[in-house]
Amino acid sequence: MAAEAPDRDFVLLGIKYEAAKVGGLDEMSLAAIANDIQSEVGESWETDPTVLRGRNAVRAEHGLPRIGEPARSAAPPPTRRSVLRRIFGKWA
């Protein structure tokens, strides 16, 4: 169980950083958080999978594309209404 603690801590650090970034925290404060993460995780904290898991969780909550994945294109609008929609309108 002790091996899980650093992973969970790194996920929480990623959540903290991305929440501050999405929340519009000023650059100096954001840099201070980044320095804290770097001291805990190391130089490669921006690509660490556990930190990215936390950052992507925040981004998903806000409808933003995930870090490290290509942006998903929006689904095209349907060209025809379904049979139920044509019969019952907006109540279907």
Side-chain angles (χ1 to χ4, degrees):
M1 193 108 163
E4 292 180 29
D7 287 345
R8 185 180 68 199
D9 292 345
F10 292 173
V11 171
L12 292 174
L13 287 171
I15 290 170
K16 178 181 179 180
Y17 179 81
E18 198 63 31
K21 191 172 179 181
V22 169
L25 196 65
D26 62 279
E27 289 297 319
M28 284 183 55
S29 300
L30 197 59
I33 293 171
N35 286 336
D36 291 343
I37 295 172
Q38 185 175 358
S39 68
E40 290 286 326
V41 180
E43 291 289 326
S44 63
W45 71 270
E46 292 179 291
T47 58
D48 184 274
T50 52
V51 174
L52 284 176
R53 187 180 323 145
R55 292 184 68 188
N56 283 331
V58 172
R59 295 180 69 80
E61 282 289 320
H62 291 278
L64 299 170
R66 295 173 57 88
I67 297 170
E69 293 182 3
R72 296 179 183 174
S73 60
T79 55
R80 283 187 58 183
R81 295 186 312 170
S82 69
V83 173
L84 291 177
R85 289 267 181 194
R86 282 185 267 157
I87 294 171
F88 296 109
K90 66 179 180 180
W91 294 281

